[in-house]
Amino acid sequence: MNELGQLIARRIALTGPIPIADFMAEALGHPRLGYYRRAQPLGAAGDFVTAPEISQMFGELLGAWLAERWQAMGRPGTVHLVELGPGRGSLMADALRATRGVAGFHAALDLHLVEINETLRAAQAVALAGFRPRWHERFDDVPAGPTLLIANEFFDALPVRQFEKTRRGWVERMVGLAKDGETLAIALAPGLTPFASYLPDATEGAQAEICEAGRGLAAAIGARLQRDGGWALIIDYGYDRGHGASLQAVRDHRGAGILDHPGETDLSAHVDFAALAAAAGARTFGPAGQGEFLLRLGVAHRAEILKARATPEQRRAIDAALQRLIASDQMGTLFRVLAVGDDRSAAPTGFSDAP
């Protein structure tokens, strides 16, 4: 067992089994050994590749969406542009490059990045050097004021609680110690969970998840936008409403056990978008499939513009990237897009439920 695993095992030996959410929080966010404190989780050398790394079109179109929202807000003289989990800064760099022709937009921007990985902060500083970003550990640390926010593949990494339906009712799945007293193992809590009222009626053996951190963050974002004005765009893989257990682990681009090598393994769970929308307590649109959303924003037209100046090899790469972003058997359907905003702006583009 690695060092973080030993620390978690020692905690369990002293205080008893812990919720999976607590294990996930330690494995991903431990101040020294957590996965997202490590050097490079992104790209071929890491454990996952996100949409901004696939094509510049993704960030460019999201930038256009953000600029349109700024205009819909009445073009405030200062607006906090916030990204949660900005990766290497690719999305934001593409978004800002694509909107440099929008009169007054860049002059109004005050850029804030919520990022805990120091190596990624350094990469973001290079990618966004001309915009003087400020970094924060939490969204709550971003100053008050009109806000435009984007969160791409951020909510899936927030800790989840897991539950199992037994003959007695819903009980929580916990992380404890195996019979050897050293190895981490999953076990059911002895008593019924107080979270049962949040869980659906189900047959024995069914499993479910609740992401308290995600709901809390959505509520904080919604309250900020309602109070100060602004819009948020949340993009992630997940479901329109509740689902079974989905927590998964990836290490070196391969599936792994969720308890294996804590701090060295990516943990993520599908996002319950209905729960986020309800928690936000604000105006919402969607969720829409990522493919549908990008097509409504004009991604196919943008691809044709890029291909007009490209070599044959580059054109093939652009077509492949487009399909990866929008095809139903790739990212187009599994990834969902939710907009949250104030009640003072016109409805946003990109959503079928926007008038």
Side-chain angles (χ1 to χ4, degrees), residues 36 41-42 47-54 58 62 83-87 91 114-115 150-158 233-238 248 266-269 271 273 290 324-325 331 334-336:
Y36 283 110
L42 291 166
D47 292 313
F48 55 89
V49 177
T50 61
E53 309 293 330
I54 293 169
F58 186 78
L62 297 193
E83 186 175 2
L84 308 182
L91 187 158
V114 176
E115 177 61 69
I150 192 150
N152 179 59
E153 292 198 55
F154 182 84
F155 278 80
D156 65 278
L158 297 179
L233 202 61
I234 298 170
I235 306 166
D236 227 311
Y237 56 90
Q248 62 185 355
D266 177 37
L267 299 175
S268 65
V271 174
F273 280 92
Q290 178 176 288
R324 191 166 176 187
L325 292 175
M331 300 176 74
L334 176 60
F335 279 73
R336 317 296 290 167

Side-chain angles (χ1 to χ4, degrees), residues 67 70-71 75-79 99-110:
W70 172 72
Q71 293 170 331
R75 301 167 60 92
T78 299
V79 62
T99 55
R100 58 180 179 265
V102 180
F105 183 49
H106 283 195
L109 296 179
D110 179 25

Side-chain angles (χ1 to χ4, degrees), residues 135-330:
W135 285 270
H136 309 279
E137 292 252 332
R138 306 178 308 146
F139 169 70
D140 290 346
D141 297 331
V142 176
T147 298
L148 290 167
L149 179 145
I150 192 150
N152 179 59
E153 292 198 55
F154 182 84
F155 278 80
D156 65 278
L158 297 179
V160 296
R161 290 180 179 267
Q162 280 194 342
F163 307 89
E164 185 172 320
K165 186 67 177 292
T166 68
R167 291 182 181 181
R168 297 177 291 117
W170 284 106
V171 298
E172 187 162 6
R173 302 182 77 213
M174 309 287 283
V175 177
L177 296 178
K179 292 181 180 180
D180 62 12
E182 298 179 357
T183 308
L184 299 177
I186 298 292
L188 296 180
L192 297 180
T193 177
F195 291 90
S197 61
Y198 295 99
L199 300 171
D201 187 24
T203 59
E204 184 178 342
Q207 296 183 349
E209 289 172 342
I210 291 177
C211 183
E212 292 178 281
R215 295 182 186 202
L217 178 57
I221 291 170
R224 172 80 61 95
L225 301 180
Q226 286 286 79
R227 185 189 70 220
D228 299 339
W231 287 82
L233 202 61
I234 298 170
I235 306 166
D236 227 311
Y237 56 90
Y239 302 91
D240 289 2
R241 57 188 62 256
H243 52 84
S246 68
L247 180 60
Q248 62 185 355
V250 176
R251 188 166 186 255
D252 297 329
H253 293 274
R254 297 179 180 178
I258 63 173
L259 302 182
D260 296 345
H261 305 282
E264 302 172 24
T265 303
D266 177 37
L267 299 175
S268 65
H270 285 58
V271 174
D272 181 347
F273 280 92
L276 293 189
R283 206 171 163 207
T284 61
F285 293 88
Q290 178 176 288
E292 172 194 348
F293 178 74
L294 293 176
L295 286 169
R296 287 176 177 269
L297 294 189
V299 69
H301 178 64
R302 179 57 181 154
E304 290 302 316
I305 292 174
L306 291 175
K307 286 162 63 177
R309 306 192 296 265
T311 66
E313 183 178 354
Q314 289 171 332
R315 286 196 291 270
R316 287 191 291 272
I318 292 167
D319 284 336
L322 176 63
Q323 287 306 302
R324 191 166 176 187
L325 292 175
I326 69 172
S328 60
D329 61 346
Q330 298 195 52

